[in-house]
Amino acid sequence: YPDIRNAIQNDACARFKINKQRIYLCGFSGGARVATSIAVADVSVAGVIANSAGFEPSAVRIQQDFCYVGIAGNEDFNRMEQVRTESMLSAYQYAHVLLEFDGPHEWAPELTMQEAFLFLEARAIVAKKKASANGLVLANYESWKKDVVETKNTFAKFNWLKKYVAYFDGYADVSSEKKMLAELNASAAIQNKLKAESDVLSSESVMQGSYY
């Protein structure tokens, strides 16, 4: 597929005005695996949106300012590997986020894809690959900041804070949100919830193994 990928990129660059510092790949399921394998091996690719398929970060060498957006439906049989990818990426300095939607193994809905593009926009500003004057990012930053404050459910607030920090760390001062996130993460309520989710994933892994 390198020849196919090069042909597509050359054609796009010939016909459109493209910021070559901001070339991203996107794919679904097996297409996400192809997109990710190309992206992590090619320093000219700034990031990837991988819908319904994860990867093993420790098995590849990735450029430092690489961006990874993982997406999975809450009923997707590949959700588990996306959760694992997100967990492993947390040990590295790459910009990454996991977005979930209500649905099975399918392309994410429009709103989720908008959030994926927003993440790439925000991180490009932080990496100085894009001018900071961006109304879309600013509007969402202010809106999400309000949502973080107004969210009352503890676990929902925890997830909101994780996403908020992933998107806007470096774009704005999120030190207070980081502190709140660390406090929640250390709480018994969140740890119990995370353990319960981990137990579900372990059970699912056993079931998948038996099916294989």
Side-chain angles (χ1 to χ4, degrees), residues 31 67 90 117 119 163 178 181 185-186 189 196 203:
C67 289
S90 297
F117 288 123
F119 181 77
K163 190 162 78 166
K178 281 185 173 181
L181 182 60
N185 189 48
S203 298

Side-chain angles (χ1 to χ4, degrees), residues 55-86:
F55 77 109
E56 174 62 68
S58 64
V60 293
R61 185 176 181 179
I62 309 173
Q63 64 269 26
Q64 193 61 39
D65 59 353
F66 180 75
C67 289
Y68 181 84
V69 182
I71 303 178
N74 57 9
E75 298 176 6
D76 190 339
F77 51 77
N78 278 346
R79 176 185 177 273
M80 183 168 60
E81 64 179 77
Q82 283 289 45
V83 171
R84 285 175 175 164
T85 296
E86 168 71 8

